Amino acid sequence: MRSLTKNIGKQKTDTGIFLVDKNDIKRVLICRPNARLGNLLLISPLVQEVAETFPNCKIDLFVKGPLAPIIFENYDQVYKTIHLPKKPFKNLLEYIKVWISIKKQPYDMAINVDHNSSSGRLAVRFSKAKYKFYGDLNDPSLQEKSDYAHIAKYPIYNFRNYLTKLGVAKRNKIIAPLDLKLSPYELSDGKRKLEKLTGNNSKRTICLFTYATGTKCLSELWWEDFYKAIKNQYRNYNIIEVLPIENVSQIAFQVPTFYSKDIREIGALIAHTDVFIGADSGMMHLASAVQTPTVGLFSVSDIKMYGPYDNCSIGVNIIKSSKKDYFKILDNILNNGKLKIYSDAG
């Protein structure tokens, strides 16, 4: 599919078409047909970018799975989510209905987030949008930006560059962080749950997430050694563990644990912890999206592409790092609130 769709839109340009007034953009389709928690959270900066650029628009999200309405629940400009079934050939009628709904709805602009996404490119091509952005990079100089490789950022840099082709002034604003947009009630409820878990003491809290999928999941031996080290180093802190949906622990449930299938509930609890430590996963991005300083542990994934950013967050290459490196990073977060990037820590 990627081979068949990679050239869709590349011959089509909007040269000579100008966007007279940004207020004329009333309906935007953003295409990210993916069902994973992390990948959906990673488009939240782009959703914020579009909402700020076109303040009068309503945004539809073309996705997979049931998570998008939950993640973007408090985004006022997100009007609806359009869901592709996870297994299209087992739900062929539903699959066809989704594509028909895209064709029937007139959009002012359609945006594909990931230029490598076959379904995303097709959705933009299939839409009746006046302006169609397929996610491609048209300005190689953008790659010189130090953070261009990040999967949450390069779609925004590319989109900003596309808009300049329509006569829109280029935005130079710092790219927004991931944001779950928790409500005041959710935050207060998360605080109550954390206090109950820790015994309502006055200690600060370190949150662990010891699971990840596939080869990103670090071994029980690695986590056991790591847990012993931080337990000894941070004796005056609460240490808790957020559990995955699989309800497993790589440290054998040695600390108070929190289990929920509600990602907003989990996020609200993590939001009141002082630092989150976990391998590259959707939960790592969730922690980043609730503005908790996040230390992402990377062994196979590309840190430049997937590492947590903003809010004193950092991705750490565990193969190149020692316990001393971890303690330097954690001390900077816990004691100073500022993070020095250590080259030997990735």
Side-chain angles (χ1 to χ4, degrees), residues 6-7 9 34 42 58 73 88 104 133 149 169 214 225 254 277 322 326 337:
K6 66 181 180 180
N7 291 318
N34 192 287
L42 285 162
K58 290 181 178 179
E73 180 179 307
K104 288 174 65 177
F133 175 55
D225 184 59
Q254 294 183 65
I277 306 170
S322 65
Y326 299 133

Side-chain angles (χ1 to χ4, degrees), residues 14 19 44 51 64 90 96 120 126 145 157 178 185 192 196 218 222 238-239 270 278 286 295 303 310 320 336 341:
D14 289 318
L19 183 58
S44 62
K64 280 185 180 179
K90 289 188 176 181
I96 293 170
F126 204 59
K145 290 183 175 291
Y157 285 128
L178 279 60
Y185 172 78
R192 285 194 296 270
K196 182 178 179 181
L218 306 179
W222 189 94
N238 298 311
I239 300 177
I270 293 173
L286 182 68
V295 179
I303 294 178
D310 212 55
K320 298 180 180 178
N336 306 317
I341 304 301

Side-chain angles (χ1 to χ4, degrees), residues 23 26 28 37 40 98 112 121 135 141 148 161 188 211 216 249-250 272 279 290 298 306 319 326-328 334 342:
N23 292 319
K26 301 292 179 64
V28 176
L37 172 61
L40 292 173
V98 168
N112 177 37
R121 297 186 79 90
S141 68
Y148 177 80
N161 185 62
S188 62
Y211 189 74
K216 294 185 293 184
S249 168
Q250 298 290 85
H272 293 284
V290 296
F298 285 75
Y306 294 104
I319 298 170
Y326 299 133
F327 295 150
K328 284 181 181 179
L334 294 170
Y342 294 94

Side-chain angles (χ1 to χ4, degrees), residues 179-241:
D179 196 352
L180 190 62
K181 290 190 181 292
L182 293 167
S183 69
Y185 172 78
E186 288 173 321
L187 286 168
S188 62
D189 188 55
K191 184 178 181 181
R192 285 194 296 270
K193 287 182 169 66
L194 181 61
E195 288 173 347
K196 182 178 179 181
L197 191 65
T198 59
N200 198 20
N201 59 45
S202 58
K203 296 179 182 179
R204 300 171 74 189
T205 300
I206 296 171
C207 179
L208 304 179
F209 182 73
T210 65
Y211 189 74
T213 56
T215 56
K216 294 185 293 184
C217 189
L218 306 179
S219 69
E220 291 183 4
L221 185 64
W222 189 94
W223 272 111
E224 182 69 27
D225 184 59
F226 180 78
Y227 168 63
K228 286 179 180 177
I230 63 169
K231 179 183 177 182
N232 291 329
Q233 184 74 11
Y234 300 102
R235 296 175 183 272
N236 295 322
Y237 286 78
N238 298 311
I239 300 177
I240 67 166
E241 182 181 6

Side-chain angles (χ1 to χ4, degrees), residues 113-133:
V113 178
D114 180 7
H115 64 90
N116 289 318
S117 169
S118 302
S119 298
R121 297 186 79 90
L122 284 170
V124 171
R125 177 68 181 85
F126 204 59
S127 73
K128 295 169 67 176
K130 180 178 180 180
Y131 304 101
K132 298 184 179 184
F133 175 55

